[in-house]
Amino acid sequence: MRKFVVEADGGSRGNPGPAGYGAVVLDAASGQTLAEAAEYLGVVTNNVAEYRGLLAGLRAAKELDPDATVHVRMDSKLVVEQMSGRWKIKHPDMKPLAAQAARVFPPGRVTYEWIPRASNKHADRLANEAMDAGARGERWSASTSTAELDAGAAAGAPEVGIGAGTGAGAAVDERIAQAARTDTETTEVPRPSAAAAAAAVTADADADADADADADVRAAKTVASPGWGPPDMGAPATFVLLRHGETPLTPQKRFSGSGGSDPSLSSVGREQAEKVAESLARRGTIQAVVASPLARTRETAGIVAARLGLEVTVDEGLRETDFGAWEGLTFGEVLERHPEDMDAWLSSPDAEPTGGGESFAATGARVAATRDRLAAAYAGRTVLLVSHVTPIKTFVRLALGAPPESLFRMELSAASLSAVAYYADGGASVRLFNDTSHLR
């Protein structure tokens, strides 16, 4: 039975930003490069790009020999640990990719090993070639790739024999020699059972996953590049961000997230939605309407969409933060009942509201993933996103590269309009914030 080594990597210039992956399939016995794969992915996170690289490498290996065994070597501890079944998967963009990767070869035929980045130069060079090609508006081409030569030069091209059977004069990079040694000399991780793999794909993220390997956290801390670039980038995806109209809880300034009573609009809120609809109809720029699943946003979106002659698409990623036991309470009531939890919440984006609510870091990760997905789906178009205070502020915060504490320094009124444009190079530009002129 043939044995292959797959080395894969992915990168994102901005995380999320313009991204690409690279993968190489090597003969474990000789170290010979058998196949290379690379692709520009558009705007995605670093970890999604790494998973795409893994998937491409496994598929390339299967095309060479569907009966082979494969040893995967990557410098992404997150991917290695998740595919080994020790860490669970939370990110919605990674779950389907992990599931696809687990199905390429039968269980037991693939092992995983983490390696330092310096030992993954070939795949890294391929990923960068793909991103460079994408920046030029081109597709990566294997015929023009110099990744293997560049990686060898960067590593000093050491020659390490693998032993008997490799042929006279055979010499390979140390990374291949390591992969070809006995199991006692390498850190090979057994393939998890099908049940374990399925559990890893469907369960929440392991709290022990370190921050450096956590795509969710890194995506939530994105610093976007300026929103300008060469004229050939084309029209941006423009999100017009509409906060829903007032509910009975709004003037009372009570916490009203996705874990509470889910109130509908008040009469004032419905009037506000009508005014927004009239204003947007005059502008005539909205091409699609997407709303949070909560009642107040769906009702606001429905009023606006009816005026514009559009349908409403519901997206779970636009829902408000879950405020746990604080739902329905005022700030003062929470401070009186849960002072320590409130202090922690005000001090750290990782702190959760009392009772297992959602932290701002978790909301940020969710919004970042939603932004990536919708920016790709509505590239070059203007879409109305009907959402809530925290998600809208988070869209703006991420576009500006502002710290999490900036969420407490923005005022966002009911039925207000904000706008952010997202460009093909991963840049973002805030064009409007908290506009309520249509309500006067």
Side-chain angles (χ1 to χ4, degrees):
M1 180 181 291
R2 297 181 71 186
K3 182 174 182 179
F4 297 139
V5 173
V6 167
E7 295 180 344
D9 198 12
S12 177
R13 295 170 179 173
N15 197 26
Y21 69 73
V24 55
V25 182
L26 305 160
D27 183 272
S30 67
Q32 178 185 359
T33 297
L34 304 176
E36 292 178 318
E39 183 182 1
Y40 175 68
L41 300 173
V43 177
V44 301
T45 65
N46 187 65
N47 288 143
V48 168
E50 289 169 336
Y51 262 106
R52 289 289 300 272
L54 167 64
L55 188 57
L58 291 173
R59 286 172 172 169
K62 186 175 183 179
E63 287 184 8
L64 291 169
D65 188 345
D67 296 320
T69 61
V70 179
H71 183 62
V72 175
R73 293 157 49 86
M74 298 181 68
D75 60 54
S76 170
K77 190 170 182 63
L78 181 78
V79 175
V80 168
E81 294 297 317
Q82 287 179 340
M83 291 304 298
S84 300
R86 289 191 295 269
W87 289 0
K88 298 175 184 178
I89 303 171
K90 177 180 178 181
H91 198 293
D93 291 340
M94 291 193 288
K95 287 181 181 179
L97 295 173
Q100 292 176 55
R103 292 193 296 265
V104 175
F105 282 92
R109 295 250 297 276
V110 181
T111 54
Y112 289 86
E113 176 190 1
W114 177 84
I115 57 174
R117 183 178 180 183
S119 299
N120 202 26
K121 294 183 183 298
H122 192 163
D124 176 76
R125 293 293 197 279
L126 287 169
N128 277 284
E129 284 186 350
M131 286 184 277
D132 291 342
R136 298 191 301 268
E138 302 171 358
R139 294 176 62 88
W140 175 82
S141 171
S143 63
T144 60
S145 174
T146 61
E148 185 173 13
L149 293 175
D150 293 344
E159 295 189 352
V160 181
I162 295 183
T166 59
V172 294
D173 194 295
E174 168 61 20
R175 59 198 170 92
I176 308 305
Q178 180 182 351
R181 293 175 188 143
T182 63
D183 290 349
T184 59
E185 294 179 294
T186 60
T187 310
E188 295 195 355
V189 181
R191 180 76 173 193
S193 66
V201 171
T202 56
D204 287 339
D206 191 313
D208 292 332
D210 59 56
D212 186 54
D214 189 341
D216 292 352
V217 174
R218 289 187 295 184
K221 296 178 179 178
T222 295
V223 177
S225 57
W228 58 77
D232 61 352
M233 282 194 301
T238 301
F239 292 174
V240 177
L241 306 167
L242 170 61
R243 184 190 170 193
H244 60 81
E246 282 191 11
T247 74
L249 299 182
T250 305
Q252 300 174 29
K253 297 188 180 299
R254 295 184 179 276
F255 283 95
S256 183
S258 58
S261 60
D262 194 16
S264 298
L265 297 180
S266 64
S267 58
V268 173
R270 287 189 290 274
E271 181 181 353
Q272 291 171 331
E274 293 285 358
K275 290 182 177 180
V276 174
E278 181 181 353
S279 175
L280 292 176
R282 286 198 304 269
R283 300 182 192 185
T285 57
I286 302 298
Q287 297 169 285
V289 179
V290 183
S292 152
L294 300 184
R296 53 196 181 271
T297 42
R298 287 190 289 107
E299 189 175 355
T300 302
I303 292 171
V304 176
R307 181 65 180 271
L308 300 179
L310 298 170
E311 298 293 326
V312 177
T313 300
V314 174
D315 193 299
E316 176 70 21
L318 297 176
R319 63 177 171 79
E320 179 59 288
T321 299
D322 183 347
F323 293 112
W326 302 353
E327 295 280 358
L329 302 180
T330 65
F331 185 89
E333 289 170 339
V334 173
L335 193 58
E336 180 180 352
R337 300 180 192 184
H338 310 285
E340 293 182 358
D341 289 348
M342 174 60 79
D343 287 344
W345 185 71
L346 293 173
S347 302
S348 171
D350 296 313
E352 298 177 350
T354 308
E358 188 178 20
S359 70
F360 280 151
T363 300
R366 167 166 55 84
V367 170
T370 302
R371 172 202 58 197
D372 294 348
R373 178 164 37 78
L374 294 179
Y378 295 98
R381 303 171 67 191
T382 299
V383 55
L384 179 70
L385 305 186
V386 187
S387 189
H388 310 264
V389 170
T390 312
I392 292 175
K393 286 184 178 181
T394 301
F395 276 113
V396 173
R397 178 181 78 78
L398 294 175
L400 294 174
E405 56 266 29
S406 64
L407 295 175
F408 298 114
R409 298 171 186 169
M410 301 184 215
E411 176 68 27
L412 197 71
S413 304
S416 64
L417 289 169
S418 303
V420 181
Y422 299 94
Y423 295 85
D425 67 345
S429 174
V430 176
R431 296 185 170 183
L432 185 71
F433 182 71
N434 198 35
D435 177 24
T436 58
S437 58
H438 48 277
L439 301 179
R440 301 189 189 113

